[in-house]
Amino acid sequence: MAELAPHELRVLVAVAETGGFSAAAARLGLTQSAVSHSVRGSEAKVGAVLFERGRTGASPTPAGERAVGLARRILRLYEVLGAEARGAGRDTGDEVGGVLRVAAFRSAALHLLPPALERLTARHPGIRPEVRVVRELGAGTAGEVAAGRADLGIATLNGTGPAARDGGAAGLLTGVLREEAYALVHPAGHPDPKALPLLDWDENCGSYTRDWWRAQDWIPPATVKAEDDAMVLTMVGRGLGMAILPELSLREATDAVDITGLGPSGPVRRVGYVTTPESASTLVVRALIRELRSEKD
């Protein structure tokens, strides 16, 4: 197969992100015909149709989704090449620098990342973190990494996304950072919290806790499903029900709730990092992983 040049990769990414050849041309400062010609050439080199063309624009085929994700990752390597070469053999101080793109689910972005990033930027002032909060639904944070939109993701490794199913199958590398137990959280002082209705949140739906939940005859079906765990915690504090939440979510608990452990057989979730093999070897990602691993409970 003939290799795709960097400018061809940029065209593929632009078409996917803008949803059409005309919009991609405007972004790149090219003509629409030039973009169309480039895409056709890339499809010929790859040997697959990468975009479905229609009246409303262009959308990636499954082959196109994969190609665009790899294109982003390859272009990212071009971006960091200079910094990596200059910092080779010197992974301390100002030699480590550049943009570091991180995707994390809400409670990890709120509680796990800030202290690690604070230490990281204190040791390496040249690093500029960019953090995006991504819901752990569908592809989740691991999907952002696989698609080349993040250098590293903080993910729930025993969830349902690509990192949870099999990081290797998605071409990703994973590492466990912490294991945290779920607990029963209920209105403070309630005499019979297990009799309360169950509150749940979207990101918890269909996840690693469900097998355990199904085996507990005291847990009723959820009567309220909120958008995130913080909303669930607030509703519990208002006396609207009980919930089963992991430790990171419970860091925001107030005196309005009581927290009861679920015992040694209760569900536990693994929180870890997800990255690509090429990003894992870069100085900035290695530096962040070191700080995340040094985080104390």
Side-chain angles (χ1 to χ4, degrees):
M1 185 194 86
E3 296 178 355
L4 299 186
H7 70 272
E8 292 174 303
L9 301 179
R10 293 187 181 95
V11 168
L12 296 181
V13 171
V15 172
E17 292 182 349
T18 62
F21 290 5
S22 296
R27 173 190 284 192
L28 298 171
L30 301 172
T31 64
Q32 181 178 346
S33 61
V35 169
S36 179
H37 178 76
S38 178
V39 171
R40 287 198 303 271
S42 295
E43 289 176 328
K45 290 180 180 180
V46 171
V49 176
L50 302 179
F51 292 95
E52 293 285 352
R53 284 80 158 170
R55 292 182 179 179
T56 58
S59 59
T61 63
E65 290 281 4
R66 180 65 171 154
V68 169
L70 290 172
R72 287 194 191 98
R73 289 160 58 173
I74 293 167
L75 291 171
R76 179 61 174 155
L77 288 178
Y78 279 110
E79 292 176 4
V80 304
L81 188 151
E84 289 295 306
R86 290 190 298 273
R90 306 190 309 273
D91 60 354
T92 60
D94 293 339
E95 293 85 0
V96 181
V99 173
L100 173 60
R101 306 171 306 162
V102 183
F105 60 91
R106 192 200 68 85
S107 57
L110 190 60
H111 300 295
L112 191 59
L113 266 180
L117 292 178
E118 183 180 18
R119 293 191 303 270
L120 179 72
T121 54
R123 290 185 176 135
H124 309 291
I127 293 180
R128 303 187 303 281
E130 293 180 355
V131 179
R132 295 178 58 243
V133 177
V134 176
R135 301 186 73 193
E136 281 288 70
L137 296 172
T141 54
E144 294 298 293
V145 174
R149 289 186 287 264
D151 304 315
L152 180 140
I154 305 297
T156 48
L157 299 184
N158 50 345
T160 56
R165 288 193 301 267
D166 184 349
L172 304 178
L173 301 179
T174 65
V176 176
L177 296 172
R178 62 188 297 129
E179 293 187 348
E180 50 182 33
Y182 278 69
L184 172 66
V185 56
H186 53 87
H190 195 282
D192 188 12
K194 291 184 178 182
L196 291 168
L198 176 68
L199 308 179
D200 204 354
W201 80 102
D202 289 340
E203 288 177 89
N204 209 33
C205 183
S207 69
Y208 35 83
T209 58
R210 291 310 178 195
D211 288 342
W212 180 87
W213 284 31
R214 281 191 288 268
Q216 312 304 308
D217 57 10
W218 59 272
I219 301 180
T223 56
V224 176
K225 188 168 288 184
E227 184 169 325
D228 60 43
D229 49 349
M231 188 179 297
V232 168
L233 193 56
T234 298
M235 295 173 75
V236 171
R238 296 283 185 176
L240 298 175
M242 57 91 168
I244 298 172
L245 294 169
E247 189 274 331
L248 277 178
S249 300
L250 293 173
R251 289 193 182 184
E252 300 165 65
T254 68
D255 293 339
V257 303
D258 286 338
I259 299 169
T260 304
L262 294 171
S265 63
V268 174
R269 78 170 178 182
R270 293 180 297 134
V271 176
Y273 66 84
V274 184
T275 189
T276 62
E278 63 270 17
S279 289
S281 67
T282 62
L283 297 173
V284 290
V285 169
R286 284 162 46 200
L288 176 56
I289 290 173
R290 281 197 296 269
E291 297 302 337
L292 288 168
R293 287 194 178 283
S294 70
E295 183 69 22
K296 304 299 182 183
D297 292 340

